[in-house]
């Protein structure tokens, strides 16, 4: 094994724990950036161009008939092929977290529709499901199995927010393990069926899953309920006859108690397991080789790379499989760096030196990402899921536009957890719902001063009635800081002058006669 550090060019802040890597045409693409996409790359998908130990990110394009794909962290990913040996495939993306910490229950299909020497264009389609539809979650896995000429997807594990009926003020945004149900998804008809197996007692998240033909192996994972990392090795076998599918589970010996591990494939039957955690504050620096042959699995300890002191002493790490025996690893950067949220990145090559020379480009094979964001619920958790591709084609991308993070707006100006004013007291770690319309994020309202900016309704001392009235009415709102300034700049409304209608001649004569009569009557009474 060899470990090599790579330098990033002014955009490493986008690569945070929870990202995923996709492979199309032998090139690795990054998905799941921190924050919402900006105008420089509205798709949120980037080509990872690594040359001479320098990492650059280049925006990718979506076709006009694509749906919107939000940047999802900790989703479940896998490749879907027409059959087990087909070279053409598309990616399945399910669940994950949005930049607002909302959980997604949607499922997307992403495929390559156009490739030129400079740009690659993708198509993203949202798929509707029916039946036992899996709830919104993250940190789970999805695999594709092939049996009797049929294919189905298998979804398992993950975490979700506490059900609304069970929430309390103190634990409003807390997460729980999803039920240990196994979901079979038939994408041809869009039907989902859930199975409860007696061998699967506890919910798991950030586990490893490897699919081969009609079998899925589940290794490790973290359970929030008892705060343990499962030492069990589960074998799921899916049979797809003409009638109802059959799902069986067997507990095998030789498992590893680990979470957030990463697996990369080094041959047709061999995989290498790296990274992960023994516990919340103990990284797993040991590597293992996994061999799959004749419906059997063998896990043995293998030689580990020479870890750098920075990796050994850092509190957390994260990464994803890049394919063909290579892994992209990241560790937090120094707190004194000029660029906030910047990380250090390494490429771990698990193949031998001779085999490594034959691979000119690194090809991605798996799904999922690793290492939970330290600011979200229980730290250090993530999952890895693996699918296989073979070809590694190359094309000239030197002339493609490189993404420049300096052209973007400040990420701190957007989102629900900004400091909206000097007296703002909304904190993501302590916030609880204040209005009945709030669920997992604070209510905000746009101040129309200048270019406009968002403020928290609670910080503006708005009552719920006033907030609802402002949201329904088509009026401009000004925050407490700008409302007086707005009033001072207002131009007084011009009062329309009343036009006097000329009196008609006949009416004027009658009026004069009436005044003369009243005058005579007054003088007569005065001298009497």
């Amino acid at each position: 094994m060899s470990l090599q550090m790579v330098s990033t060019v002014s955009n490493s802040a986008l690569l945070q724990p929870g990202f995923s890597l996709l492979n199309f045409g032998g090139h690795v693409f990054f998905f799941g950036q921190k924050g919402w996409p900006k105008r420089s790359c509205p798709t949120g998908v980037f080509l990872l161009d690594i040359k001479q130990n320098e990492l650059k990110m280049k925006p990718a394009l979506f076709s006009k008939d694509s749906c919107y794909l939000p940047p999802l962290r900790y989703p479940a990913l896998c490749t879907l092929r027409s059959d087990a040996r087909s070279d053409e495939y598309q990616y399945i993306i399910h669940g994950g977290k949005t930049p607002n910490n909302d959980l997604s229950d949607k499922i997307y299909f992403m495929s390559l529709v156009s490739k030129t020497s400079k740009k690659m264009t993708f198509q993203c389609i949202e798929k509707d499901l029916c039946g036992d539809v899996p709830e919104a979650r993250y940190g789970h896995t999805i695999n594709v199995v092939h049996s009797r000429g049929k294919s189905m997807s298998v979804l398992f594990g993950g975490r979700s927010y506490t059900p609304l009926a069970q929430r309390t003020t103190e634990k409003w945004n807390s997460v729980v393990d999803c039920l240990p149900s196994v979901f079979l998804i038939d994408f041809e008809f869009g039907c989902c069926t859930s199975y409860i197996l007696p061998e699967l007692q506890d919910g798991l998240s950030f586990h490893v899953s490897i699919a081969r033909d009609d079998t899925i192996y589940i290794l490790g994972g973290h359970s929030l309920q008892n705060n343990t990392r499962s030492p069990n090795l589960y074998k799921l076998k899916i049979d797809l006859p003409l009638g109802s599918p059959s799902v069986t589970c067997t507990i095998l010996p030789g498992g590893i108690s680990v979470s957030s591990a990463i697996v990369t494939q080094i041959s047709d039957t061999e995989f290498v397991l790296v990274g992960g955690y023994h516990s919340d504050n103990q990284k797993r620096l040991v590597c293992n080789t996994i061999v799959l042959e004749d419906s059997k699995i063998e896990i043995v300890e293998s030689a580990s790379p020479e870890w750098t002191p920075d990796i050994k002493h850092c509190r957390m790490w994260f990464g994803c499989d890049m394919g063909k025996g290579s892994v992209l690893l990241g560790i937090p950067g120094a707190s004194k760096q000029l660029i906030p949220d910047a990380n250090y990145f390494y490429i771990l090559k698990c193949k031998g030196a001779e085999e490594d020379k034959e691979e000119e480009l690194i090809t991605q094979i798996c799904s999922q990402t690793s290492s939970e964001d330290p600011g979200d619920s229980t730290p250090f958790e993530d999952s890895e899921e693996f699918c296989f591709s073979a070809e590694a084609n190359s094309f000239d991308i030197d002339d493609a536009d490189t993404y420049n993070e300096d052209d973007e707006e400040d990420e701190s100006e957007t989102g629900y957890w900004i400091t909206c004013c000097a007296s703002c007291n909304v904190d993501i770690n302590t916030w609880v719902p204040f209005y009945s319309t709030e669920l997992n994020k604070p209510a905000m309202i746009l101040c129309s001063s200048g270019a406009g900016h968002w403020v928290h309704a609670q910080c503006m001392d708005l009552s719920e009635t006033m907030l609802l009235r402002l949201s329904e009415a088509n009026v401009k709102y000004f925050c407490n800081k700008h409302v007086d300034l707005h009033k001072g700049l207002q131009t007084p409304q011009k009062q329309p002058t009343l036009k006097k209608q000329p009196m008609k001649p006949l009416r004027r004569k009658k009026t004069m006669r009436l005044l003369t009569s009243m005058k005579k009557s007054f003088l007569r009474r005065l001298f009497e």
Side-chain angles (χ1 to χ4, degrees):
M1 292 187 182
S2 63
L3 185 67
Q4 196 166 20
M5 188 174 185
V6 294
S7 59
T8 57
V9 181
S10 71
N11 50 28
S12 62
L14 291 179
L15 283 83
Q16 297 294 325
F19 70 88
S20 303
L21 297 180
L22 315 174
N23 173 262
F24 287 98
H27 294 272
V28 181
F29 288 83
F30 162 82
F31 168 69
Q33 70 176 59
K34 177 187 177 182
W36 293 103
K38 302 297 180 61
R39 58 183 176 270
S40 297
C41 183
T43 63
V45 178
F46 299 84
L47 169 68
L48 290 188
D49 182 22
I50 303 177
K51 290 183 179 180
Q52 299 179 349
N53 296 331
E54 187 176 79
L55 187 152
K56 297 181 180 180
M57 297 173 63
K58 302 182 179 182
L61 302 177
F62 276 13
S63 62
K64 293 182 179 179
D65 57 347
S66 295
C67 68
Y68 175 68
L69 177 65
L72 300 169
R73 296 194 299 162
Y74 315 108
L77 269 76
C78 71
T79 54
L80 175 64
R81 303 172 186 269
S82 56
D83 60 74
R85 301 294 181 260
S86 175
D87 292 334
E88 296 183 0
Y89 57 90
Q90 55 186 333
Y91 273 90
I92 305 173
I93 304 173
H94 178 270
K97 280 187 176 184
T98 70
N100 294 336
N101 277 336
D102 294 326
L103 299 185
S104 171
D105 61 351
K106 300 182 182 299
I107 193 161
Y108 302 93
F109 284 73
M110 188 172 172
S111 58
L112 176 66
V113 295
S114 175
K115 183 177 76 171
T116 65
S117 61
K118 294 183 179 180
K119 295 182 180 179
M120 301 176 74
T121 303
F122 305 108
Q123 181 187 51
C124 184
I125 299 175
E126 182 181 343
K127 183 74 173 180
D128 294 327
L129 302 177
C130 62
D132 303 328
V133 179
E135 64 178 322
R137 61 186 68 199
Y138 71 102
H140 55 303
T141 56
I142 187 170
N143 301 79
V144 176
V145 292
H146 304 276
S147 172
R148 304 181 186 231
K150 298 181 181 179
S151 299
M152 274 197 179
S153 292
V154 182
L155 187 146
F156 175 75
R159 294 176 182 170
S160 63
Y161 286 121
T162 305
L164 187 60
Q166 302 176 14
R167 295 187 181 185
T168 61
T169 303
E170 293 79 10
K171 298 182 179 180
W172 189 264
N173 288 326
S174 61
V175 294
V176 294
D177 294 318
C178 294
L179 295 176
S181 301
V182 177
F183 293 88
L184 287 190
I185 306 175
D186 185 350
F187 288 116
E188 183 178 358
F189 302 100
C191 299
C192 302
T193 307
S194 63
Y195 295 82
I196 298 177
L197 306 177
E199 294 82 4
L200 299 173
Q201 295 293 328
D202 299 323
L204 292 176
S205 56
F206 305 110
H207 51 278
V208 165
S209 66
I210 306 176
R212 188 175 183 85
D213 297 330
D214 61 352
T215 304
I216 297 176
Y217 296 96
I218 299 176
L219 177 67
H222 183 262
S223 174
L224 278 176
Q225 184 176 0
N226 47 28
N227 192 26
T228 58
R229 285 158 176 81
S230 174
N232 295 330
L233 173 60
Y234 299 99
K235 176 183 178 181
L236 295 179
K237 190 172 182 62
I238 292 86
D239 188 17
L240 303 176
L242 293 177
S244 300
S246 172
V247 181
T248 58
C249 180
T250 306
I251 302 178
L252 303 177
I256 300 176
S257 179
V258 64
S259 64
S260 303
I262 307 172
V263 171
T264 183
Q265 185 181 11
I266 59 175
S267 70
D268 185 49
T269 59
E270 288 188 58
F271 305 82
V272 175
L273 177 74
V274 299
Y277 299 89
H278 287 299
S279 62
D280 289 352
N281 54 10
Q282 183 182 4
K283 300 192 307 296
R284 186 176 185 274
L285 300 176
V286 179
C287 298
N288 294 86
T289 300
I290 302 175
V291 181
L292 300 179
E293 284 184 344
D294 301 328
S295 300
K296 296 181 180 179
I297 182 171
E298 182 183 6
I299 303 176
V300 295
E301 187 171 328
S302 60
S304 300
E306 189 67 32
W307 301 113
T308 65
D310 289 338
I311 293 179
K312 288 181 180 179
H313 298 102
C314 69
R315 185 168 174 261
M316 63 168 289
W317 56 353
F318 58 96
C320 194
D321 174 32
M322 300 182 71
K324 295 200 173 182
S326 297
V327 174
L328 178 65
L329 291 174
I331 62 173
S335 59
K336 296 181 180 180
Q337 290 186 114
L338 297 177
I339 304 175
D341 297 329
N343 300 305
Y344 297 136
F345 291 95
Y346 298 82
I347 292 182
L348 174 64
K349 297 183 180 180
C350 301
K351 286 189 176 183
E354 295 182 359
E355 296 174 316
D356 221 17
K357 292 179 181 179
E358 299 177 358
E359 305 297 343
E360 187 176 1
L361 293 176
I362 299 173
T363 308
Q364 188 270 344
I365 298 173
C366 83
S367 68
Q368 262 304 67
T369 47
S370 91
S371 181
E372 173 84 17
D373 192 337
D376 298 336
S377 63
T378 304
F380 316 133
E381 300 305 326
D382 197 2
S383 69
E384 285 291 334
E385 198 280 331
F386 323 101
C387 295
F388 319 124
S389 66
E391 295 187 24
N393 302 322
S394 63
F395 66 103
D396 187 9
I397 52 174
D398 290 338
D399 297 332
D401 295 332
T402 302
Y403 174 77
N404 186 3
E405 189 180 11
D406 297 334
D407 296 336
E408 300 291 7
E409 299 172 358
D410 186 0
E411 181 65 28
S412 62
E413 295 178 0
T414 60
Y416 289 91
W417 309 107
I418 60 173
T419 302
C420 66
C421 60
S423 59
C424 179
N425 56 2
V426 175
D427 185 273
I428 188 174
N429 299 312
T430 59
W431 175 84
V432 294
F434 181 77
Y435 301 99
S436 62
T437 56
E438 295 175 328
L439 181 59
N440 52 28
K441 54 182 179 290
M444 302 192 75
I445 188 168
L446 179 67
C447 174
S448 300
S449 176
H453 63 97
W454 290 91
V455 293
H456 298 113
Q458 185 177 353
C459 297
M460 298 297 107
D461 297 324
L462 292 177
S463 65
E464 184 163 343
T465 303
M466 178 59 68
L467 179 61
L468 292 175
R469 187 178 301 172
L470 289 171
S471 63
E472 295 172 357
N474 187 19
V475 295
K476 290 184 177 181
Y477 171 78
F478 293 88
C479 67
N480 297 341
K481 179 180 179 180
H482 297 118
V483 63
D484 294 333
L485 176 63
H486 173 69
K487 290 181 179 179
L489 295 176
Q490 282 183 326
T491 303
Q493 294 183 356
K494 185 177 180 180
Q495 299 294 336
T497 57
L498 297 176
K499 295 182 179 180
K500 296 181 179 180
Q501 297 292 337
M503 298 179 65
K504 295 183 179 180
L506 293 178
R507 184 176 297 177
R508 186 178 299 174
K509 290 181 180 180
K510 291 181 180 180
T511 302
M512 294 301 295
R513 289 176 184 175
L514 180 59
L515 291 175
T516 303
S517 175
M518 292 175 62
K519 183 177 180 181
K520 289 181 179 180
S521 176
F522 175 75
L523 292 174
R524 188 180 303 111
R525 292 179 182 177
L526 183 62
F527 289 103
E528 285 181 353

